[in-house]
Amino acid sequence: MNPDWLIVIFIISLSLIAYIKQTHKEYIRLILLAAINYKTSNYILNENKTNKTLSDWILFSNYLITSTIFIQQSLNIFSVSLPHFHFFVISSVTILILLIVNILNKGLNIIVSKIFKIEDIGIEYNHNINILNKSLGILLLPVTILISFTVASKLFVIIGVAIFAV
């Protein structure tokens, strides 16, 4: 993967996070805390009905960007052979797969919660999945940067996989 393109992508991701940090001062801290604290997650769920939709989309976009880069870096480091497509084609396919998985997951959760008449639990579960995705995007950004620009890239891939697993 060409580090020149990655610098542009990293600057975009960092700019997105900086924008959220500037406009909603505590939101990123709340997102990271909500990934491990139920009360904070519930607070965000209740507050999110009013004013944080742009920030949610920006953090979800960051999740898609950083996850895509991390997956490609992992495949490159462990020499998984992919067809010789352009970087952007592979990125587009990876983002599309992540979007489809997220949409199917949310859709199935909504259907199951309606069938069993537990809509509140379905909404809360989808909210928690969103929180985890946003947190993953934030936490993977420094990992992907370190993979690109350090010699210990395999170590950081393992750290990234551990973050995914947690």
Side-chain angles (χ1 to χ4, degrees), residues 102-130:
N102 276 290
I103 290 169
L104 286 176
N105 184 19
K106 288 179 185 182
L108 289 173
N109 290 335
I110 290 170
I111 290 169
V112 168
S113 67
K114 287 194 184 289
I115 288 172
F116 291 106
K117 298 186 187 318
I118 50 173
E119 286 90 1
D120 291 341
I121 294 172
I123 290 169
E124 187 174 340
Y125 181 76
N126 279 339
H127 168 73
N128 287 328
I129 295 297
N130 286 337

Side-chain angles (χ1 to χ4, degrees), residues 85-156:
F85 290 111
H86 195 270
F87 170 76
F88 291 112
V89 173
I90 296 173
S91 296
S92 299
V93 169
T94 306
I95 287 174
L96 186 64
I97 289 170
L98 287 172
L99 276 173
I100 289 171
V101 166
N102 276 290
I103 290 169
L104 286 176
N105 184 19
K106 288 179 185 182
L108 289 173
N109 290 335
I110 290 170
I111 290 169
V112 168
S113 67
K114 287 194 184 289
I115 288 172
F116 291 106
K117 298 186 187 318
I118 50 173
E119 286 90 1
D120 291 341
I121 294 172
I123 290 169
E124 187 174 340
Y125 181 76
N126 279 339
H127 168 73
N128 287 328
I129 295 297
N130 286 337
I131 293 287
L132 291 174
N133 287 343
K134 294 173 206 170
S135 298
L136 182 63
I138 294 168
L139 295 173
L140 278 181
L141 183 59
V143 172
T144 56
I145 292 171
L146 289 170
I147 290 170
S148 295
F149 301 109
T150 62
V151 293
S153 55
K154 283 189 180 183
L155 171 68
F156 291 113

